[in-house]
């Protein structure tokens, strides 16, 4: 990172503090919609979202973050989940918002979930990569992680990286680095597009559909009105994520996932980009 960029990030972080904590849902999140369909249980250690025909439900974090490593364990809607989407993402607000997405697209019983990922920077997305998972995400809890620092965004599942989005500002590609983002999650009806392009609709006889969350953990720069500092040039000890990138072992694990489980990558969709691929695709690790 050059000195001018380092200074800019340092100034941006001057109103942030780094905080690491294992979460309690009562302390860390607000259920924002769903009229009782979202519930915090087990003394704040478990959160559930439910969807029925009238409504889904959702929650958001009390804190905003600018860079960090965010972990959440999810257990997805079991059985026939066709038409449902469980979204778990970071996002700022406004027409030029930044966003880092996990979305889990439901399917009929016996068919796999699709894990849909995307990155928005300054309001521009269209950077989709999709995967099958190498396990049943409805049978137990699994950890879905976002590592976001000034150099890279890394999506991981149970500690295995599946995707990275590198800072390509040198190629004219905006990178999320200026806007603090909240964590959001929702379970909602998207049967107009979620399963086989909308051909398979939700079977409401199986409702309510329920997704479960536990073991939230954030090691992150949190917006603080007290002006606590989170300095980019000397992050506090234990904050290795701030400069972390994929080593050769992690690169190999990511390429294994992409070779065996990736089902869509915008950076290889020549029909979608007949005039040439987006510039960040030149730095995307492909298998």
């Amino acid at each position: 990172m050059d000195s001018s960029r380092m200074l800019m990030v340092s100034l941006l972080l001057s109103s942030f503090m780094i905080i690491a904590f294992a979460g309690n849902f009562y302390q860390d999140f607000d259920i924002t919609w769903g009229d009782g369909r979202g519930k915090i249980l087990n003394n704040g250690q478990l959160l559930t979202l439910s969807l029925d025909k009238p409504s889904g439900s959702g929650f958001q974090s009390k804190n905003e973050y600018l860079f960090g490593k965010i972990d959440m364990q999810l257990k997805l809607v079991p059985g026939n989940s066709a038409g449902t989407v469980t979204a778990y993402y970071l996002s700022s607000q406004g027409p030029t918002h930044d966003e880092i997405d996990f979305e889990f697209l439901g399917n009929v019983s016996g068919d796999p979930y699709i894990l849909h990922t995307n990155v928005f920077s300054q309001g521009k997305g269209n950077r989709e990569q999709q995967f099958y998972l190498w396990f049943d995400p409805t049978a137990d809890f699994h950890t879905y992680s976002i590592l976001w620092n000034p150099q890279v965004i890394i999506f991981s599942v149970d500690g295995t990286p599946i995707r990275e989005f590198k800072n390509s500002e040198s190629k004219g590609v905006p990178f999320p680095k200026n806007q603090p983002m909240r964590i959001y999650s929702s379970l909602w009806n998207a049967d107009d597009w979620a399963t086989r392009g909308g051909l398979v609709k939700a079977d409401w006889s199986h409702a309510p559909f329920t997704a479960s969350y536990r073991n939230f953990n954030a090691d992150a720069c949190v917006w603080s009105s007290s002006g606590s500092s989170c300095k980019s040039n000397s992050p506090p000890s234990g904050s290795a994520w701030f400069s972390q990138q994929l080593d050769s072992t992690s690169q190999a694990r990511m390429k294994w996932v992409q070779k065996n489980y990736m089902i869509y990558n915008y950076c290889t969709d020549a029909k979608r980009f007949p005039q040439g691929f987006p510039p960040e695709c030149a730095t995307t690790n492909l298998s």
Side-chain angles (χ1 to χ4, degrees):
M1 184 183 296
D2 60 38
S3 59
S4 61
R5 186 183 297 174
M6 184 78 74
L7 176 61
M8 180 176 293
V9 173
S10 180
L11 291 172
L12 283 166
L13 294 180
S14 63
S15 295
F16 287 74
M17 61 180 176
I18 283 188
I19 184 168
F21 54 84
N24 177 294
F25 285 109
Y26 284 119
Q27 297 173 359
D28 303 327
F29 293 92
D30 293 314
I31 295 175
T32 49
W33 63 283
D35 194 22
R37 292 173 179 82
K39 294 181 172 64
I40 298 175
L41 306 167
N42 297 358
N43 296 315
Q45 300 305 303
L46 179 70
L47 189 152
T48 62
L49 294 180
S50 292
L51 164 69
D52 54 26
K53 195 168 186 178
S55 179
S57 51
F59 64 86
Q60 70 181 42
S61 62
K62 295 179 186 291
N63 287 322
E64 294 178 290
Y65 304 90
L66 182 66
F67 306 128
K69 185 176 185 296
I70 310 294
D71 304 311
M72 183 82 81
Q73 290 193 331
L74 279 75
K75 183 164 69 172
L76 301 179
V77 174
N80 185 353
S81 58
T84 71
V85 171
T86 306
Y88 161 58
Y89 59 103
L90 289 164
S91 183
S92 60
Q93 297 296 312
T96 59
H97 75 292
D98 296 335
E99 188 172 323
I100 305 169
D101 288 343
F102 279 112
E103 289 188 308
F104 304 89
L105 312 186
N107 218 327
V108 295
S109 298
D111 287 347
Y113 264 83
I114 292 174
L115 171 53
H116 175 99
T117 66
N118 205 351
V119 176
F120 288 73
S121 53
Q122 295 185 17
K124 182 184 182 300
N126 300 321
R127 300 184 176 104
E128 301 91 348
Q129 291 183 0
Q130 294 183 335
F131 305 83
Y132 289 140
L133 295 165
W134 50 96
F135 53 83
D136 179 357
T138 73
D140 203 350
F141 286 90
H142 292 269
T143 303
Y144 302 91
S145 304
I146 295 168
L147 187 150
W148 169 36
N149 66 34
Q151 293 80 40
V152 70
I153 296 165
I154 300 170
F155 297 76
S156 298
V157 178
D158 287 339
T160 295
I162 64 169
R163 175 180 185 176
E164 68 174 350
F165 182 80
K166 293 182 177 179
N167 186 326
S168 297
E169 289 178 305
S170 62
K171 296 179 170 62
V173 180
F175 186 81
K177 67 175 188 179
N178 300 331
Q179 302 181 56
M181 296 195 267
R182 294 188 192 275
I183 300 166
Y184 296 88
S185 190
S186 58
L187 175 57
W188 52 289
N189 173 23
D191 69 3
D192 57 337
W193 64 271
T195 305
R196 294 184 59 200
L199 293 177
V200 182
K201 303 298 185 182
D203 183 350
W204 298 110
S205 69
H206 293 277
F209 304 103
T210 301
S212 302
Y213 303 75
R214 72 180 188 188
N215 291 349
F216 165 68
N217 190 77
D219 187 357
C221 296
V222 177
W223 177 258
S224 171
S225 59
S226 66
S228 298
S229 179
C230 173
K231 295 180 180 178
S232 63
N233 54 355
S234 57
S237 60
S239 299
W241 58 265
F242 198 86
S243 57
Q244 183 176 338
Q245 300 191 53
L246 293 179
D247 60 19
S248 57
T249 300
S250 296
Q251 290 277 5
R253 293 167 70 196
M254 183 178 71
K255 289 183 178 182
W256 174 82
V257 172
Q258 293 181 349
K259 179 180 179 181
N260 292 284
Y261 294 97
M262 179 183 280
I263 59 173
Y264 179 78
N265 182 3
Y266 78 109
C267 280
T268 60
D269 191 343
K271 289 183 179 179
R272 184 177 175 187
F273 300 105
Q275 305 303 315
F277 294 117
E280 71 270 15
C281 291
T283 58
T284 298
N285 284 278
L286 302 175
S287 43

